[in-house]
Amino acid sequence: METQSVLTEDETLDGPYGLKIVQKRAGYRYSHDALALAEFLGTGSKMEVIDLGTGHGVIPLILVKRGLAARVVGVELQPELVSLARRNVALNGFGNVVDIVELDLRDVSRSFPCRSFDYVITNPPYREPRAGRITPTEQKAIARHEISCSMEDVMDAMKYLVKPRRRACRIYPSRRLPELVDIAGKRGLELKRLRFIHPRPDRGAELFMAELLKDGKPGVEVLPPLFTSEPPRGAGGFSGL
């Protein structure tokens, strides 16, 4: 089947790292955040990984495409995005190593054993419900604002899922760094790696990526800044979606 024939009129087909990603033209679309996070992750080829709020399944597909995980589970709340993620997994031929599960991340204990993953990723809804302009569609609003879950909810899920002395990673607005450190510390998740994201070299940081170690000791490595004016390495085909 030709790849174009799988599309409907309201869908597009593109993707980073040579992947084929189907998305809705007017719905939620993956962004630079997901690509930057996939580049930042400290996963390994033998790891079992879970991605909370996987959206179109972009991060799981990048990991298996680059040989950075043995198996990836993508968890997504919104049925339409679940359907798109499953199509993208099949379209790229990774059905044997990527599973997409329709699930509220607040209910992970119902579907997964405690301490069952080597690495937990999330590119969560990180804007407070009243922060900034609420996006007009429900799909975009749920994906970008803390409507369906809070920072505490996400951190609880990460703590539950990750094995002792293994890591979790997330992205958040830079002004919320003290909040994240406080909430993570109360759950035994120690900040170990940090990278700030700037729109360009002469502007302050807008986002940060944080890698946390379960039951880790204090001490953090701060990486060089990332500028969104430059796409992540190897992510050819990204067009500021």
Side-chain angles (χ1 to χ4, degrees):
M1 180 184 295
E2 293 293 328
T3 51
Q4 291 294 341
S5 67
V6 304
L7 301 179
T8 61
E9 290 184 357
D10 64 338
E11 294 175 340
T12 64
L13 180 69
D14 39 45
Y17 300 96
L19 292 165
K20 300 169 185 176
I21 305 297
V22 178
Q23 304 182 88
K24 293 293 184 181
R25 294 182 186 276
Y28 168 70
R29 296 173 68 82
Y30 76 84
S31 69
H32 187 279
D33 293 6
L35 302 184
L37 196 58
E39 189 71 31
F40 176 76
L41 298 174
T43 56
S45 61
K46 297 182 180 180
M47 287 187 175
E48 293 200 350
V49 179
I50 187 167
D51 178 29
L52 303 177
T54 198
H56 306 89
V58 174
I59 290 178
L61 290 172
I62 290 174
L63 291 182
V64 297
K65 175 76 171 183
R66 298 177 61 201
L68 297 177
R71 171 177 170 262
V72 188
V73 175
V75 170
E76 175 54 50
L77 171 65
Q78 300 191 64
E80 186 174 23
L81 289 177
V82 169
S83 177
L84 284 171
R86 288 173 175 165
R87 285 174 61 194
N88 288 330
V89 170
L91 187 60
N92 288 278
F94 290 133
N96 59 327
V97 288
V98 178
D99 297 316
I100 303 298
V101 178
E102 183 176 340
L103 182 69
D104 189 321
L105 63 82
R106 293 171 295 186
D107 297 327
V108 291
S109 62
R110 298 181 182 179
S111 297
F112 303 103
C114 185
R115 302 181 296 276
S116 53
F117 288 90
D118 299 302
Y119 206 98
V120 182
I121 309 160
T122 181
N123 177 14
Y126 54 58
R127 300 177 186 174
E128 299 96 330
R130 296 182 181 179
R133 181 176 64 87
I134 298 294
T135 46
T137 67
E138 182 183 8
Q139 187 182 87
K140 289 182 180 179
I142 292 173
R144 294 176 179 172
H145 295 81
E146 290 182 336
I147 295 171
S148 62
C149 65
S150 65
M151 185 186 289
E152 289 88 348
D153 292 330
V154 177
M155 205 73 76
D156 285 339
M158 297 176 92
K159 177 188 175 182
Y160 174 84
L161 291 166
V162 72
K163 297 175 182 178
R165 304 292 301 171
R166 295 302 179 99
R167 301 194 178 217
C169 184
R170 60 192 305 169
I171 187 168
Y172 259 94
S174 56
R175 59 185 171 74
R176 300 190 70 180
L177 178 57
E179 181 185 2
L180 181 140
V181 172
D182 178 63
I183 292 172
K186 290 175 180 176
R187 290 159 175 79
L189 299 170
E190 187 70 33
L191 178 63
K192 299 304 293 183
R193 281 200 310 142
L194 180 66
R195 190 174 193 186
F196 290 98
I197 303 177
H198 302 244
R200 55 179 193 256
D202 62 341
R203 297 282 297 276
E206 293 183 346
L207 301 168
F208 68 88
M209 296 178 289
E211 188 177 66
L212 309 165
L213 176 64
K214 189 172 186 178
D215 304 326
K217 295 181 180 179
V220 58
E221 176 189 8
V222 181
L223 278 64
L226 175 67
F227 304 108
T228 54
S229 56
E230 301 175 1
R233 290 178 295 131
F238 173 66
S239 57
L241 300 174

